[in-house]
Amino acid sequence: EQKNRKQGRLEAIESSIMQAGLDIGLGVYFFMSVAIGMVAVFAYLMAKMPLLGAVPVFLIGALLVPRMLLKSMADRRQLKFTAHFADAVDLIVRGVRSGMPINECFRVVAREFEPPLGEEFRLLVEGQNLGWTIDDLMERGIRRLPTSEYKFFANVTQIQRQTGGNLAETLANLSNVLRERKKMRDKARAMAAEAKASAMIIG
């Protein structure tokens, strides 16, 4: 059981590294974590703080700070991916309506958009060329970018392939849903920022 817990923690760290968009192994991650912990201790001691506090400072620097950094990087990456995802879906819709194969539409998105959005579609194209199924590739993509928008896209395309129907129309409807979600999320974010600013003024 202890071995399973350790394996689970290592897999969670690997997942966090992948979601942050970093191409490093666990060895590099742990080395950097120790380095951050040592820098934190050095700064702590340079401030002439009690020696007894060096151990918790090291643990915070080595364990907590790297995880916070990974989460921050993953959050920014997901926001960047989501920001133009509806535009990418629209581009696919236009391509499908003009008679382009879906894989070629993915290739256009990969070329027209910056990472991580363009990069993710490039991986879809390359994976299909290597014989992977689109479902497997999107499942791997969702592990890298676990956004609800990507999950919607994967589910919609999977259902459409199973049931048939007009792919362009299905994706056009999805694009409208994604834009409405983004509009609501941006509005909520603006309201939260306004409330925070008001609280600071009152305080």
Side-chain angles (χ1 to χ4, degrees), residues 6-167:
K6 181 179 179 181
Q7 184 63 30
R9 285 195 294 269
L10 292 177
E11 289 176 356
I13 293 173
E14 287 181 325
S15 179
S16 297
I17 293 171
M18 182 170 58
Q19 290 174 21
L22 298 177
D23 186 19
I24 61 173
L26 285 175
V28 174
Y29 171 80
F30 287 126
F31 175 81
M32 293 175 65
S33 296
V34 171
I36 292 172
M38 293 176 65
V39 169
V41 170
F42 178 77
Y44 176 83
L45 295 177
M46 287 296 291
K48 301 189 185 304
M49 301 298 287
L51 187 61
L52 190 62
V55 172
V57 166
F58 175 80
L59 293 176
I60 291 172
L63 299 179
L64 184 60
V65 172
R67 294 188 182 186
M68 291 174 62
L69 288 173
L70 286 181
K71 186 178 186 311
S72 177
M73 292 174 68
D75 288 345
R76 288 200 303 273
R77 192 165 180 265
Q78 290 174 30
L79 283 174
K80 191 173 181 181
F81 176 85
T82 303
H84 301 291
F85 192 60
D87 295 331
V89 175
D90 285 340
L91 189 57
I92 295 171
V93 170
R94 291 196 296 272
V96 171
R97 283 175 174 166
S98 69
M100 289 173 59
I102 188 68
N103 199 41
E104 186 60 31
C105 295
F106 289 172
R107 192 186 305 277
V108 174
V109 172
R111 187 170 61 246
E112 294 296 323
F113 290 88
E114 295 180 353
L117 181 54
E119 175 71 10
E120 193 57 43
F121 277 87
R122 183 184 65 78
L123 292 173
L124 288 177
V125 172
E126 292 179 353
Q128 288 182 88
N129 291 339
L130 291 173
W132 288 74
T133 67
I134 188 65
D135 290 339
D136 287 339
L137 289 167
M138 285 189 177
E139 183 180 337
R140 291 163 68 91
I142 289 170
R143 289 203 296 268
R144 289 188 294 268
L145 288 154
T147 68
S148 55
E149 286 79 6
Y150 201 169
K151 293 173 185 176
F152 286 153
F153 180 71
N155 289 336
V156 164
T157 53
Q158 182 181 41
I159 292 171
Q160 192 279 333
R161 286 195 306 278
Q162 292 173 351
T163 61
N166 190 322
L167 176 60

Side-chain angles (χ1 to χ4, degrees), residues 148-197:
S148 55
E149 286 79 6
Y150 201 169
K151 293 173 185 176
F152 286 153
F153 180 71
N155 289 336
V156 164
T157 53
Q158 182 181 41
I159 292 171
Q160 192 279 333
R161 286 195 306 278
Q162 292 173 351
T163 61
N166 190 322
L167 176 60
E169 190 64 31
T170 301
L171 292 179
N173 292 334
L174 173 63
S175 175
N176 292 333
V177 171
L178 296 179
R179 290 187 186 282
E180 287 301 316
R181 282 175 56 86
K182 185 176 184 300
K183 192 181 300 181
M184 292 175 62
R185 189 164 52 245
D186 290 345
K187 184 177 180 180
R189 193 176 294 121
M191 291 175 65
E194 185 178 336
K196 183 177 179 180

